[in-house]
């Protein structure tokens, strides 16, 4: 298609653009018209040959990659159809040796890599447009046979075309190298800024962490006082109070205990982000057995069968792995509380050839559509059980620190299994 030519551009050079991609063709056309060139656009080599023979443009710009006839074949036909004097610029996404050789074989005048710099492309257009008017050999040059990397090539381009192509390739490489150096300087500057910002963030995090520990310590101290005073009131004044008053005191004590556990969980979650992982040999089976005994002692009236496979061990941070198992088994302990015969199992299986540990229970389970919420703090998925999700969020961070993976499978009313690798 032809662009509309205004009076101010009536004497401007006419260019033929051969680009298959519509958006790329429009971008190139607008850029050239903005710089006062008249532009015709063709979508393929056949259409471009027809336009070139009819209007004989002053210069042709073609994509290397096109359907049916690529840019190199199209350039070769331009040079063989009595249009040898029309300069051809080939746009290619590659700038390797093979592309340069193909450009020489086809008789191209310039080979420019994409994405191109607008100023560079315009300078090459002006150079070739002016160079076209200089005296040159118009007869068909003799064939030039050259061997490169053990392969023979035949070039029919004249010396000026060969020189133009080599110079344009060199100039493009130099331009790209300058751009790369400039980008490297910008990257170094950005890295320096990022490093400074990270140091400020690290300092702010340390201040926030110190503040959090202080606040948490004070909260736990006051909560401990509340529970202690509640116990004293119950022991010393319980007989003098009616049942409602005793119930209120017990509720105050229970809420204070829950709040203290919540603060402890938040501290653990925060602590995981800053602990350095010290890997050592850890007996996971022995660790799980101690945790199971602690849970059984805390509520001796519950009927929970723990099944712990012997001999399971791993390399990892002992403190963090204890916290991991304590939270996973504690999760099972909690969600099997309504089972008359609860079962909590710690074991290991080979999944896709990798040692995978698991904690399984026959508790309330969950719907798989909620699986992505399990490891997000404060993402509640059960309306029947209290919880803040901090324990599983802590587990997820511990697994990340060990370079592993954790996921869960479950079904409502049928229990849940948490798998993890280290």
């Amino acid at each position: 298609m032809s662009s509309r030519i205004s009076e101010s551009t009536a004497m401007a050079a006419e260019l033929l653009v051969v680009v298959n991609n519509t958006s790329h063709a429009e971008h190139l056309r607008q850029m050239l018209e903005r710089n006062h060139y008249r532009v015709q656009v063709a979508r393929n080599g056949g259409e471009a040959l027809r336009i070139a023979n009819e209007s004989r443009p002053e210069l042709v710009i073609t994509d290397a990659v096109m359907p049916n006839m690529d840019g190199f074949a199209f350039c070769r036909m331009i040079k063989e159809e009595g249009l040898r004097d029309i300069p051809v610029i080939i746009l290619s996404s590659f700038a390797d040796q093979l592309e340069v050789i193909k450009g020489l074989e086809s008789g191209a005048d310039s080979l420019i890599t994409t994405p191109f710099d607008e100023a560079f492309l315009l300078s090459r257009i002006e150079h070739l447009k002016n160079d076209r008017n200089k005296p040159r050999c118009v007869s068909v040059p003799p064939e030039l046979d050259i061997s490169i990397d053990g392969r023979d090539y035949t070039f029919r381009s004249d010396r000026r075309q060969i020189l133009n192509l080599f110079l344009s390739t060199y100039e493009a490489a130099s331009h790209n190298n300058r751009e790369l150096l400039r980008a490297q300087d910008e990257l170094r500057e950005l890295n320096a800024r990022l490093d400074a910002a990270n140091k400020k963030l690290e300092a702010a995090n340390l201040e926030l962490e110190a503040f959090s520990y202080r606040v948490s310590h004070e909260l736990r101290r006051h909560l401990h006082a509340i529970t202690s005073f509640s116990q004293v009131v119950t022991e010393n004044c319980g007989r003098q109070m009616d049942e409602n008053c005793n119930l209120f005191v017990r509720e105050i004590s229970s809420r204070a205990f829950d709040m203290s556990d919540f603060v402890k969980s938040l501290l653990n979650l925060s602590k995981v982000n800053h602990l350095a992982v010290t890997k050592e040999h850890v007996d996971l089976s022995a660790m799980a057995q101690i945790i199971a005994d602690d849970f059984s002692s805390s509520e001796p009236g519950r009927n929970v069968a723990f099944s712990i496979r012997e001999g399971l061990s791993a390399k990892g941070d002992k403190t963090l792995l204890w916290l991991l198992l304590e939270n996973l088994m504690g999760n099972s302990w909690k969600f099997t509380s309504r089972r008359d015969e609860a079962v909590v199992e710690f074991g290991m299986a080979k999944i896709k050839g990798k040692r995978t540990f698991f904690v399984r229970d026959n508790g309330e389970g969950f719907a798989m559509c909620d699986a992505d919420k399990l490891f997000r703090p404060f993402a509640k998925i059960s309306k029947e059980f209290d919880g803040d999700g901090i324990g599983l969020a802590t587990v997820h961070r511990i697994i990340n620190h060990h370079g592993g993976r954790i996921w869960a499978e479950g079904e409502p009313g049928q229990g849940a299994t948490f798998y993890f690798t280290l």
Side-chain angles (χ1 to χ4, degrees):
M1 63 178 180
S2 300
S3 64
R4 182 172 295 176
I5 306 171
S6 66
E7 290 182 4
S8 62
T9 60
M11 301 303 295
E14 184 173 24
L15 309 183
L16 173 59
V17 171
V18 193
V19 179
N20 180 57
N21 185 287
T22 303
S23 61
H24 292 173
E26 183 62 18
H27 169 73
L28 194 54
R29 183 188 65 78
Q30 290 182 8
M31 185 269 288
L32 292 171
E33 289 186 345
R34 190 169 60 247
N35 286 277
H36 311 297
Y37 291 104
R38 292 179 295 142
V39 181
Q40 293 189 89
V41 176
R43 303 302 183 194
N44 55 66
E47 181 185 356
L49 282 172
R50 179 183 58 77
I51 294 173
N53 278 295
E54 290 176 355
S55 62
R56 299 189 67 88
E58 290 194 46
L59 186 139
V60 174
I61 302 173
T62 178
D63 257 345
V65 178
M66 291 190 300
N68 302 324
M69 181 192 305
D70 67 19
F72 298 103
F74 165 69
C75 178
R76 190 177 298 111
M77 294 192 71
I78 283 283
K79 299 299 183 179
E80 291 175 353
E81 290 202 7
L83 304 172
R84 171 173 292 278
D85 62 319
I86 300 178
V88 177
I89 296 176
I90 297 180
L91 304 178
S92 173
S93 57
F94 303 100
D96 58 9
Q97 175 180 293
L98 181 59
E99 291 289 284
V100 174
I101 291 173
K102 288 165 68 176
L104 287 169
E105 286 183 313
S106 66
D109 296 87
S110 277
L111 180 67
I112 297 178
T113 54
T114 55
F116 55 81
D117 177 78
E118 181 175 324
F120 177 66
L121 176 61
L122 292 172
S123 70
R124 292 309 304 167
I125 291 173
E126 281 301 301
H127 170 78
L128 293 175
K129 188 164 65 72
N130 295 331
D131 189 63
R132 181 186 184 189
N133 299 321
K134 294 178 181 179
R136 62 198 299 162
C137 177
V138 295
S139 61
V140 177
E143 294 182 354
L144 179 63
D145 296 322
I146 295 178
S147 179
I148 301 176
D149 286 343
R151 295 185 59 184
D152 295 327
Y153 300 94
T154 299
F155 304 144
R156 296 181 178 84
S157 305
D158 63 31
R159 287 179 298 175
R160 182 168 287 177
Q161 281 180 306
I162 293 174
L163 185 60
N164 270 330
L165 188 138
F166 275 130
L167 286 176
S168 69
T169 304
Y170 173 78
E171 188 178 353
S174 298
H175 174 79
N176 291 338
N177 188 54
R178 289 193 298 272
E179 288 296 305
L180 179 60
L181 291 174
R182 183 183 60 79
Q184 287 175 340
D185 289 339
E186 290 179 356
L187 182 60
R188 277 193 289 269
E189 184 179 350
L190 287 173
N191 283 334
R193 292 179 185 176
L194 181 61
D195 186 53
N198 283 337
K199 288 179 180 178
K200 289 182 181 179
L201 180 61
E202 186 177 352
N205 282 335
L206 289 174
E207 290 181 11
L208 181 61
E209 185 179 354
F211 174 76
S212 299
Y213 272 105
R214 180 65 180 168
V215 170
S216 299
H217 175 75
E218 288 299 311
L219 278 173
R220 296 186 75 184
R221 184 168 68 85
H222 292 304
L223 289 168
H224 178 71
I226 292 171
T227 55
S228 298
F229 286 133
S230 298
Q231 187 175 357
V232 170
V233 169
T234 301
E235 292 175 355
N236 295 339
C237 308
R239 294 180 181 179
Q240 302 173 25
M241 298 186 299
D242 60 24
E243 183 57 32
N244 280 338
C245 289
N246 280 311
L247 179 63
F248 291 146
V249 172
R250 287 195 298 271
E251 184 66 18
I252 290 171
S253 180
S254 175
R255 293 296 179 92
F257 272 120
D258 290 344
M259 189 65 182
S260 182
D261 285 341
F262 177 72
V263 172
K264 180 183 176 182
S265 297
L266 281 176
L267 278 173
N268 286 334
L269 181 64
S270 174
K271 207 183 303 180
V272 168
N273 285 334
H274 305 289
L275 284 176
V277 176
T278 304
K279 290 192 175 182
E280 58 181 303
H281 182 81
V282 180
D283 188 336
L284 296 178
S285 295
M287 189 179 283
Q289 188 61 60
I290 296 171
I291 293 171
D293 292 342
D294 288 344
F295 280 121
S296 297
S297 300
S298 66
E299 294 184 59
R302 285 192 56 185
N303 181 20
V304 180
F306 283 96
S307 174
I308 297 173
R309 179 172 166 180
E310 296 182 356
L312 297 183
S313 62
K315 284 197 71 175
D317 188 286
K318 190 172 184 178
T319 302
L320 292 179
L321 291 182
W322 178 283
L323 194 57
L324 180 148
L325 284 179
E326 187 177 47
N327 276 297
L328 286 179
M329 295 175 70
N331 188 71
S332 292
W333 178 267
K334 172 183 174 180
F335 285 98
T336 55
S337 60
R338 297 182 181 179
R339 291 284 185 267
D340 293 332
E341 296 181 355
V343 176
V344 178
E345 178 185 1
F346 173 59
M348 193 267 289
K350 278 286 186 73
I351 298 179
K352 295 182 178 180
K354 191 173 182 65
R355 292 173 73 238
T356 304
F357 303 99
F358 63 83
V359 174
R360 178 179 291 134
D361 63 65
N362 65 338
E364 295 299 313
F366 62 91
M368 287 302 292
C369 61
D370 292 325
D372 62 327
K373 302 178 184 176
L374 290 172
F375 304 105
R376 298 207 306 256
F378 310 112
K380 195 173 182 64
I381 63 172
S382 174
K383 297 180 181 178
E384 300 179 12
F385 286 84
D386 292 331
D388 45 48
I390 295 176
L392 290 180
T394 302
V395 166
H396 188 261
R397 292 188 183 182
I398 292 171
I399 292 295
N400 284 342
H401 276 300
H402 283 78
R405 176 175 171 249
I406 185 166
W407 69 98
E409 295 176 357
E411 187 178 342
Q414 302 299 316
T417 305
F418 287 82
Y419 298 93
F420 64 93
T421 62
L422 297 171

